[in-house]
Amino acid sequence: MKDFRILLKTVKPYAGLFTLAFVLMTLVGIFEAGRTALIKSIIDILSGSPPVAAGLSASLDVTRYLPAGVNHLSIIAALLVLFTLIRGTSEYFSNVLMWRVGVGGVVDLRQRLYDHFLQQSSEFFTEHPTNTLTTHIISDAEKVQVAVSTLLADLLREGFTFLALFALVFILNWRLTLAVLQIGPFIYC
């Protein structure tokens, strides 16, 4: 946990970029669930299933919101393409922003390390060879960049996608979702 706090201090100057990336990652999760709801509507239309008449899951039926007398499949297909474009664009820009936060954090971290090394005595450099110090500066800072730009971004993006899809399946059939949550851990183990 201490390492995570140090990591957050490193990226604190980039809070605005991180917040924007956070919002974009939230959009990725929302539009992923939206794509899933659209695909469900396509399957319902093609299978001839009657639409759900009432309940919260009825609000997810896209055909309810489309005007009567138009080809629902073409509109839903266009929405599916639009949702995919929005999701992909959001994911791309969130990756770019998180990469920028990671690189900025690494640059700041390396500068602090260089400043710290410059303040050391000659005995310090006698005990610690400069090639070892240089290796640590490069590799440790690179690990921080990977942690911020890749691992943290993936954790947040996949977490939001999971929450959005979980909300979707809970709305569609809450009893089945609760049953899977109870049985699922036993199947996984």
Side-chain angles (χ1 to χ4, degrees), residues 101-123:
V101 168
V103 168
V106 165
V107 168
D108 294 347
L109 181 63
R110 284 182 180 160
Q111 186 62 45
R112 286 196 332 237
L113 285 170
Y114 288 136
D115 292 343
H116 179 74
F117 286 153
L118 290 175
Q119 296 173 358
Q120 300 301 316
S121 64
S122 59
E123 290 85 23

Side-chain angles (χ1 to χ4, degrees), residues 30-31 34-35 38 78-88:
I30 290 169
F31 280 98
R35 288 181 348 157
L38 290 172
L79 284 173
L80 188 60
V81 169
L82 179 66
F83 280 26
T84 302
L85 287 172
I86 293 171
R87 182 200 176 279

Side-chain angles (χ1 to χ4, degrees), residues 155-177:
L155 175 71
L156 291 173
R157 187 181 323 97
E158 298 303 325
F160 289 133
T161 302
F162 170 77
L163 290 175
L165 289 173
F166 181 76
L168 177 69
V169 297
F170 193 80
I171 289 170
L172 290 174
N173 192 338
W174 65 271
R175 289 182 185 107
L176 180 61
T177 304

Side-chain angles (χ1 to χ4, degrees), residues 120-151:
Q120 300 301 316
S121 64
S122 59
E123 290 85 23
F124 175 80
F125 291 105
T126 305
E127 293 175 17
H128 305 285
T130 55
N131 61 347
T132 305
L133 295 174
T134 304
T135 302
H136 280 294
I137 288 173
I138 293 170
S139 67
D140 292 351
E142 186 69 28
K143 288 177 186 175
V144 169
Q145 180 181 351
V146 168
V148 171
S149 61
T150 305
L151 300 176

